[in-house]
Each structure stands twice: as structure tokens, then as C-alpha cells.
Amino acid sequence: MLMANKKLILFVDDNPVDRTLISRLLTKDDFNILLAEDGTKGLKMAQEGKPDLILLDILLPGISGIELCKKLKKNPATQDIPVIFYTSIDTPKHLIDFSSYGARDYIQKTTPPEELIASIKNILKI
């Protein structure tokens, strides 16, 4: 059940283990969560669910996370939803031009959970 005062986060990742871990982490930290296993479902859920933030894997089957982010930013219904890339790609953050795709942050999956939560709260200003 979605609580009205909780922020809604859409997590798009094709790895079921990551979806489970992030879902538990965010639920425990008082967020509501939507889960999508690919970019096509993620796009549909973003348009229908109107999440407060999208946590987005880059390496997805079908539509990549980068392509999905571009689509979200071109659509007036989803263009203002902040996106965080959450990826297993181990390229240092300062070498990734994530903002050119419209993303607000770039976090590696090896990053401690506290840093992920801090980034989400910072972007959502909570």
C-alpha cells in the first residue's frame, strides 16, 4: 500500500537480486518503491506512476538506461523527475558525463547504501 506522505522511487534494474536489495533498503528508509526489470517497463511505470525519483541501471536489456533517461527527459510528463544512474560499471564518477543525459547523479553499485540514501534524500530535499 502506498503511503501518501512517503516519496515514491522507481528502480529499474534487470538483476532480481539488486531489485530485492534496493527495495528492502528503500522501504526500510521509509520510501515507497516501484520495480521494473527493463527499460520498456520502466518507461511505462514512470509515465503512469509519476515517481518522485528514478534509480536507473545503465546496462538494461532492450532500451539501455541512458536511452531511457533521454526518453524520460524528452517527455513533458516525466522530464522533471530526477534520475540517478545506479550501475555496476566501475568507471569513476568524474569521468562519466551523466548530466548530459539528464541524470542528477551517478552511483556505483559497490557504493555503501548510506551514500545512496544520502544522494536520494539530497536530490529530493528531505
Side-chain angles (χ1 to χ4, degrees):
M1 185 172 117
L2 297 179
M3 299 296 292
N5 58 342
K6 290 185 178 183
K7 296 290 187 180
L8 179 62
I9 296 178
L10 169 59
F11 181 43
V12 185
D13 195 310
D14 59 325
N15 184 325
V17 173
D18 287 341
R19 286 197 308 270
T20 299
L21 291 173
I22 292 299
S23 179
R24 286 183 184 154
L25 174 73
L26 295 176
T27 302
K28 190 177 80 172
D29 216 279
D30 234 20
F31 292 101
N32 286 318
I33 184 109
L34 292 172
L35 298 171
E37 65 270 11
D38 62 45
T40 303
K41 287 190 176 102
L43 182 62
K44 186 172 190 258
M45 291 174 100
Q47 292 167 337
E48 293 173 0
K50 300 286 189 277
D52 296 293
L53 183 138
I54 299 170
L55 195 57
L56 182 56
D57 189 14
I58 291 176
L59 301 174
L60 292 170
I63 305 172
S64 75
I66 289 172
E67 286 305 311
L68 176 54
C69 190
K70 288 178 183 177
K71 286 177 184 281
L72 291 166
K73 294 304 168 185
K74 285 181 185 163
N75 182 338
T78 56
Q79 67 185 7
D80 294 330
I81 302 171
V83 173
I84 296 176
F85 284 131
Y86 184 66
T87 184
S88 56
I89 299 171
D90 62 359
T91 305
K93 182 176 180 173
H94 69 278
L95 295 179
I96 299 294
D97 193 11
F98 59 88
S99 62
S100 71
Y101 304 117
R104 296 280 296 278
D105 204 351
Y106 171 91
I107 297 176
Q108 294 174 341
K109 290 184 178 181
T110 54
T111 300
E114 307 78 45
E115 287 184 37
L116 173 62
I117 296 292
S119 177
I120 290 169
K121 288 183 173 180
N122 179 48
I123 288 170
L124 294 176
K125 297 181 178 19
I126 53 176

